[in-house]
Structures are given as structure tokens and as C-alpha cells.
Amino acid sequence: KCEKGKLWGTPEASAESLYKRLGRALRPKRDKANPMGPDEFRSGAYIDYGDLSRGFGQNAALAISCSNDAEVIAGIERAAAGDPGSPDTAIRSGVDFVFGRLRELEYFRGWSPSETPSPHSSLAAVVAQTTTLIQQLYDSLPPCTALIVYSGSGDPRELREMQALQSQFKEEYKVKKWDELSVRWTDVEEQKLREAAAEARRGLGFLVVK
């Protein structure tokens, strides 16, 4: 760090945050709050669950922490429409890029661990709510807005199970004989791991311009 600077060894040393890059891009005159006023830089918002003081949220012009999907959608709408009470000019007139994450469907299906039990009684109920919220978001967006909805990944549950099995095998293999192992790792398990990894990488996405 003395030779290469304090950022050496951190993600920012090799990759610039999208939000920082946006902050260096000028808004064209047609997108400025005051077309004849001083230069305005583009800005972005990050809306997600939990503590946003670290990770992507720390570089966003606007970061909104939420506890459910309805709050996420409300945060996206607020960021896109603008917050008149904000002292930041870029946020007052609406940001240029918004990232928000809906997680209730993910939690219900067990794709990620959740600290609180799901309020939904069935998969159909949470799917219906998710699609209703996406439709609500689309309806609230201004014209010429690009909306991208994507899953991020496929089902990761089998992959996690196979990784846990592999980890257990490696730990036991260090101290036990082959016939004493409680789990075996053969080519069959290796193929299952590869298939599970391929399934976890297979996501789903939609893109529309309003």
C-alpha cells in the first residue's frame, strides 16, 4: 500500500463502482433540472434490504434500506420521480439509474436464508405479489425509461448441498481411511456438482422500454 496507494488490494483498485462512474458523467441539457443552469452530473440510487453503508450502497447518491418488497418498490419510485425535499439537486429531480432488489420470493423458496418467517401462505401468493409490484413499478415510470427485471441466478439449493457434501468429504478424507468415510466423493458426485452449478448460473431476465 505504501508503494501502490491505499486502494491497492481492494476491489476499487481494478474496478470502478458504477455509481462513481455515473457521478463523473454530465447530464445532457434536455435532462437537466434547469437546462440553462450549471452543469449537472448523473446520479444513481441503490435500494435493498439491510445495512447499505457498505458495498454498492456506499457510493450511491441515494441509498434506501428496506425490510420488505413493497418498501423496495416505493424506494425505486421515489428515486426515479425525485425527492423535492432533498438538498442534493441530482436527487431532487430524480436519479438517472436505480437498482432495487425484491427478495420475498427468494426467501420463500429458500434460495437465501431469512432471519424472519415469510408472511406468505403459499408460493402462488408470493409470486402474485411480486408480479403485482413489478406491474406497479412499470406503471409509475416516466416515458422512455428502460426497465430490466432479472433473477440474478437459478436455483442454488442443490449446489449448496453438493458443496457442503464435498466440504465434508475433504475434511474427513484428511483424517480417515476410505472405508471409514461417512460420505464418498466420486465422479458421480462431481458430475452432480457441475450440473447443479450450471442450474444455479441459469437465470431469467426481461427488458422493456416504456
Side-chain angles (χ1 to χ4, degrees):
K1 287 184 180 289
C2 292
E3 295 176 355
K4 300 183 179 181
K6 65 179 182 179
L7 292 180
W8 186 81
T10 65
E12 290 191 11
S14 57
E16 182 180 22
S17 165
L18 172 62
Y19 292 104
K20 284 190 173 182
R21 179 64 187 88
L22 280 172
R24 294 192 290 106
L26 287 172
R27 281 179 172 169
K29 184 179 292 187
R30 68 175 185 274
D31 294 334
K32 291 169 59 176
N34 180 6
M36 304 308 295
D39 288 342
E40 294 179 11
F41 292 92
R42 293 192 181 277
S43 58
Y46 187 79
I47 294 91
D48 200 356
Y49 285 56
D51 181 12
L52 306 185
S53 60
R54 298 181 180 181
F56 298 111
Q58 65 180 337
N59 296 314
L62 176 64
I64 302 175
S65 177
C66 306
S67 58
N68 57 59
D69 285 357
E71 292 181 2
V72 172
I73 295 298
I76 297 174
E77 292 174 345
R78 171 190 164 197
D83 185 355
S86 173
D88 189 325
T89 304
I91 298 175
R92 266 203 312 271
S93 57
V95 299
D96 302 276
F97 171 81
V98 187
F99 175 90
R101 183 157 61 157
L102 304 177
R103 307 204 66 181
E104 290 187 31
L105 178 57
E106 173 187 350
Y107 288 150
F108 187 88
R109 298 196 65 187
W111 288 20
S112 293
S114 175
E115 297 179 356
T116 58
S118 173
H120 303 284
S121 59
S122 67
L123 178 60
V126 66
V127 169
Q129 175 187 278
T130 302
T131 53
T132 298
L133 289 173
I134 293 174
Q135 181 65 56
Q136 174 188 323
L137 173 61
Y138 174 81
D139 293 340
S140 72
L141 295 175
C144 299
T145 300
L147 174 63
I148 303 173
V149 180
Y150 66 100
S151 65
S153 72
D155 191 339
R157 290 173 294 184
E158 186 177 358
L159 176 61
R160 288 202 300 263
E161 292 175 2
M162 295 306 299
Q163 288 174 331
L165 186 67
Q166 184 185 49
S167 178
Q168 182 181 349
F169 167 77
K170 288 181 178 179
E171 290 299 319
E172 291 188 11
Y173 190 74
K174 294 177 183 178
V175 296
K176 294 181 180 181
K177 296 180 181 179
W178 179 261
D179 56 357
E180 297 175 345
L181 298 175
S182 64
V183 296
R184 303 291 177 87
W185 191 265
T186 65
D187 185 61
V188 174
E189 285 74 25
E190 185 67 30
Q191 292 302 319
K192 286 183 178 179
L193 176 63
R194 293 181 181 180
E195 291 172 2
E199 176 63 26
R201 293 192 183 106
R202 192 176 297 117
L204 180 68
F206 301 94
L207 168 64
V208 65
V209 177
K210 185 174 180 182

